[in-house]
Amino acid sequence: MPADASDSTTVEVQNETGVDIGAARRALGDVAHEPGSKKPDPIVVADGVRRMFGGLIAVDVEHVEIQRGVITALIGPNGAGKTTFFNLLTGFDRPDAGEWSFNGTSLGKVPAYKVARMGMVRTFQLTKVLSKLTVMENMRVGATGQKGEKLRSAMFAPLWRGQENANTERANGLLERFLLIKKKDDFAGSLSGGQRKLLEMARALMADPELVMLDEPMAGVNPALKQSLLGHVKSLRDEGRSVLFVEHDMDMVRDISDWVIVMAQGKIVAEGPPDAVMADQRVIDAYLGAHHDTDISEEQEEQILAAAEAEIAAKQEEPQ
Amino acid sequence: MDITNLFGFAVQQALGPTAIIYCLAAIGLNIHFGYTGLLNFGQAGFMLVAGYSIGGAVTIFGSSLWVGTVVGLLLCVGLALLLGVPTLRLRADYLAIVTIAAAEIIRQTVGAAAFSDTFGGQDGITDFIPGFRAANPYNGPIDLGIVSWGAYDAWVMTVGWALVAVCCVIVWLLMRSPWGRVLKSIREDENAVRSLGKNVYSYKMQALIIGGVIGGLAGFMTSLRSAAVGPSFFATDVTFFAYTALLIGGAARVLGPVLGAIVFWFLINFFGSFFSQATSGPDPLIPSWIMDSSQASIMRFILVGLGLMLLMIFRPQGILGDRRELAIDAR
């Protein structure tokens, strides 16, 4: 069974470099639909990652692998620990225990900025644009390895002007693609919510990341823009990048993801292609509760009532 | 009431050595607060360390002012590291708490009776500027009609405004560069910058050091202006006056602190002089049943405070600020 039957025509498409971009997705066809299943070519591997806030175990992931070159969705009900797990992977938070690696390099105590330099760039659930900088300046900040960002060379423009012009050109291309080119000289703070999402995604691409991590890219975006955002996310995969995103919007998950990982109460409860996962009983239980579709029978009702009455009686006796 | 005299005095002060001190202190704060968003409430501490360095180099170690200058700048770098290492990884308010406390700790320690043999206690250090005085190229006072400065003040002003000009050029060069862009981005959102692969901690430290060193220049000017240094020159109100100057001129503008310091010190002296004239003499302009001359002496701070409030309401971006930037904050 292909990873995404409805999209099988594009699976065969090759990108400009001639690499078969469908290969990674077809490879997922043989992967078991079990939590923590092994992937043929994982870009991220996490083991025993655990994060506690006081007594609450927010994240407790035994083992998870994320396949290279595909779009992986991380879903789960509110409070499942998705964003916390995201923060842990990208170095924005430290786990109490566990190991995880990116491209085989362990990220144990690596700070967030180094994780980003390695090629794993994230966006935020609440978009973080740099309001008092123009859209173009926002984009330029995204470029890595800038000579002019070193204090030694910052004061001498000839040392960094060439690189700056090259970055500007690249930023122009990305802004064109994300339909923000007309806004390039406006302050980023004047953009609408949806445009900010686009800008954040475009800015992340300035760093030329291998793995793009999107935290709820569809939150608060109108349906029209949603379609174009979906296209942008797919285009990331088509140019050979891997994508991991957290999302609540099931239409989006079904539409674009090649693989879905479901979290509930900090643990990974299910994995698989979208259609298989959505039919999975464990996922339905996680979202709706284990007894959501059983009616309460008269017998059970009486039991509950009796238990409640006993409790009230016990309380009334207590003061004496 | 002599209006010409009043203006002359205020202009003389607004361009004089004291305005230069606030100007340099505010340029340093502009790098901290205006560009990077660091709340440094201890600029007076940087000034004190530098001011005592050039005084102490001569009187304690019998060395030259030049050595004192180098030592002072190095100590400012050291102070910035000392303050920054524990606090710059934390939220912005921690730096504010630590800097204001550190500035007072240094001031109280230096002024303590136990060290009065070295630092002169509350009296401070004097007699360290013969070398600077000897280098004065001016023979007599500078007279420009309604304003005039003595020969020594003119020499201090020449050095001071030259330092201001150099600092402004450096700030301008730095802030148009990608390095300056990272600082401004940190002010807007630290985590966004971190997610783009920049070492935020290192940039904040660099900004703290550069702003602190410029604060140190303000300290040098303080000791040269007064030909003395004492703990009372570096009380916390110096830091807040510098902030006032910065906010009047407009934060995150290269010339904001310069214009702000001039306007601030002009207003303080204009009102001070006005109220002292208006309440003195046998038939004062303001009768003594409204206020007497000792009450009038604090009117300048009341009026400047009121002016600052009105500025924050009607032009919160300062004189040189950009209105468009403020519209964004309102969202």
Side-chain angles (χ1 to χ4, degrees):
Chain A
M1 186 183 100
D4 188 346
S6 63
D7 212 18
S8 57
T9 45
T10 56
V11 170
E12 309 300 331
V13 175
Q14 300 192 336
N15 67 2
E16 301 116 27
T17 50
V19 180
D20 182 4
I21 54 164
R25 298 159 73 190
R26 281 196 301 275
L28 280 175
D30 306 327
V31 174
H33 299 178
E34 280 304 315
S37 58
K38 295 253 183 287
K39 308 289 185 307
D41 182 16
I43 187 166
V44 172
V45 180
D47 268 303
V49 175
R50 175 192 268 262
R51 177 73 169 103
M52 293 190 287
F53 296 115
L56 175 82
I57 302 175
V59 168
D60 185 11
V61 170
E62 265 174 42
H63 183 83
V64 71
E65 294 182 5
I66 291 156
Q67 170 77 349
R68 187 190 312 278
V70 304
I71 299 177
T72 307
L74 184 59
I75 64 168
N78 286 328
K82 306 178 297 287
T83 297
T84 309
F85 187 50
F86 225 68
N87 287 343
L88 293 172
L89 287 181
T90 47
F92 277 81
D93 193 7
R94 296 260 162 268
D96 297 294
E99 280 178 16
W100 68 106
S101 64
F102 174 68
N103 270 336
T105 321
S106 173
L107 294 182
K109 290 235 157 64
V110 181
Y113 75 94
K114 282 192 183 157
V115 173
R117 282 184 197 172
M118 284 177 186
M120 181 163 154
V121 175
R122 69 169 296 179
T123 66
F124 294 88
Q125 187 175 348
L126 301 166
T127 33
K128 292 186 186 297
V129 295
L130 311 165
S131 308
K132 288 185 198 166
L133 272 63
T134 63
V135 169
M136 181 46 92
E137 292 276 89
N138 264 269
M139 293 295 285
R140 289 192 188 123
V141 175
T144 48
Q146 296 188 48
K147 288 190 205 109
E149 286 185 355
K150 295 204 170 63
L151 187 54
R152 267 172 282 138
S153 43
M155 283 204 271
F156 311 105
L159 293 177
W160 45 261
R161 188 148 287 153
Q163 201 185 20
E164 183 88 344
N165 291 341
N167 284 338
T168 307
E169 206 160 302
R170 213 151 61 82
N172 272 325
L174 281 167
L175 288 177
E176 195 99 46
R177 175 171 149 199
F178 283 84
L179 311 175
L180 287 170
I181 194 74
K182 281 184 189 150
K183 295 267 176 193
K184 75 174 180 173
D185 296 321
D186 292 4
F187 280 122
S190 70
L191 297 181
S192 72
Q195 288 169 328
R196 286 173 195 224
K197 293 263 176 202
L198 288 172
L199 174 59
E200 207 183 23
M201 209 184 280
R203 189 178 64 192
L205 290 185
M206 281 298 285
D208 196 18
E210 247 189 289
L211 173 61
V212 186
M213 315 263 289
L214 307 170
D215 197 351
E216 299 205 16
M218 295 298 160
V221 172
N222 72 50
L225 190 60
K226 207 174 267 182
Q227 279 310 313
S228 103
L229 262 175
L230 285 176
H232 287 307
V233 177
K234 278 186 198 166
S235 72
L236 297 182
R237 174 185 61 194
D238 295 343
E239 55 190 36
R241 302 182 207 276
S242 316
V243 179
L244 175 66
F245 70 95
V246 169
E247 191 51 71
H248 279 298
D249 186 328
M250 284 304 158
D251 289 335
M252 173 180 179
V253 172
R254 201 191 298 270
D255 187 8
I256 66 166
S257 51
D258 303 308
W259 194 259
V260 180
I261 298 173
V262 187
M263 280 184 85
Q265 293 172 344
K267 290 182 170 30
I268 289 177
V269 294
E271 265 192 58
D275 294 332
V277 158
M278 293 195 188
D280 194 313
Q281 192 57 43
R282 288 168 298 193
V283 179
I284 296 166
D285 289 351
Y287 269 92
L288 302 173
H291 305 289
H292 71 95
D293 53 356
T294 47
D295 290 329
I296 300 179
S297 66
E298 264 177 44
E299 210 172 294
Q300 281 170 318
E301 225 169 298
E302 273 165 25
Q303 275 175 10
I304 294 169
L305 204 61
E309 275 169 356
E311 205 174 310
I312 292 166
K315 274 210 180 127
Q316 281 171 338
E317 271 168 38
E318 248 170 50
Q320 287 149 20
Chain B
M1 175 98 22
D2 184 352
I3 296 292
T4 325
N5 185 356
L6 202 62
F7 265 100
F9 174 71
V11 169
Q12 187 220 20
Q13 286 297 312
L15 300 175
T18 309
I20 293 171
I21 293 166
Y22 289 125
C23 187
L24 285 167
I27 291 174
L29 288 178
N30 196 21
I31 294 178
H32 291 154
F33 173 73
Y35 289 106
T36 324
L38 299 173
L39 272 175
N40 170 17
F41 282 146
Q43 191 72 329
F46 287 95
M47 292 167 66
L48 184 147
V49 164
Y52 267 80
S53 296
I54 59 169
V58 176
T59 56
I60 303 167
F61 298 105
S63 173
S64 77
L65 283 175
W66 285 112
V67 174
T69 313
V70 174
V71 171
L73 293 178
L74 289 177
L75 285 177
C76 281
V77 173
L79 180 62
L81 288 170
L82 193 68
L83 297 174
V85 166
T87 53
L88 286 182
R89 285 184 207 278
L90 306 172
R91 246 181 20 230
D93 22 359
Y94 289 97
L95 181 72
I97 298 166
V98 167
T99 47
I100 196 169
E104 272 304 282
I105 290 169
I106 298 170
R107 193 170 78 90
Q108 300 292 350
T109 309
V110 164
F115 302 118
S116 60
D117 290 344
T118 337
F119 296 123
Q122 292 297 323
D123 296 334
I125 310 175
T126 48
D127 297 331
F128 54 84
I129 50 155
F132 182 73
R133 224 183 261 279
N136 187 355
Y138 301 105
N139 297 317
I142 304 285
D143 199 339
L144 300 177
I146 59 160
V147 275
S148 67
W149 291 278
Y152 183 71
D153 273 359
W155 176 220
V156 173
M157 283 165 62
T158 310
V159 174
W161 285 118
L163 282 177
V164 169
V166 169
C167 288
C168 284
V169 170
I170 290 176
V171 169
W172 177 71
L173 284 172
L174 282 176
M175 293 310 159
R176 66 167 188 163
S177 77
W179 185 85
R181 186 166 61 216
V182 175
L183 290 197
K184 285 179 247 174
S185 307
I186 290 172
R187 177 191 68 198
E188 296 302 311
D189 197 311
E190 238 181 88
N191 278 332
V193 180
R194 212 168 267 140
S195 79
L196 296 171
K198 323 286 178 207
N199 186 351
V200 169
Y201 177 68
S202 158
Y203 280 102
K204 280 170 135 182
M205 186 61 92
Q206 292 168 28
L208 188 65
I209 291 173
I210 295 173
V213 163
I214 296 178
L217 298 181
F220 293 151
M221 294 315 297
T222 308
S223 53
L224 293 180
R225 170 203 63 179
S226 310
V229 276
S232 60
F233 296 178
F234 305 105
T236 30
D237 57 355
V238 174
T239 305
F240 293 112
F241 282 174
Y243 263 106
T244 309
L246 176 62
L247 295 176
I248 289 175
R253 289 285 175 276
V254 173
L255 294 177
V258 181
L259 183 64
I262 293 172
V263 170
F264 168 71
W265 204 237
F266 176 87
L267 290 176
I268 285 279
N269 283 288
F270 181 82
F271 288 131
S273 178
F274 172 81
F275 280 102
S276 90
Q277 281 191 33
T279 53
S280 67
D283 183 23
L285 187 68
I286 300 171
S288 60
W289 55 267
I290 296 181
M291 65 174 86
D292 59 33
S293 59
S294 64
Q295 289 166 332
S297 66
I298 53 166
M299 276 306 288
R300 55 188 179 151
F301 292 115
I302 295 173
L303 286 179
V304 170
L306 192 68
L308 194 64
M309 275 195 256
L310 292 174
L311 186 80
M312 286 298 108
I313 294 166
F314 295 107
R315 200 175 165 84
Q317 72 274 36
I319 298 172
L320 296 178
D322 185 344
R323 185 95 220 175
R324 290 189 306 155
E325 287 190 5
L326 244 96
I328 290 163
D329 276 346
R331 276 165 184 268

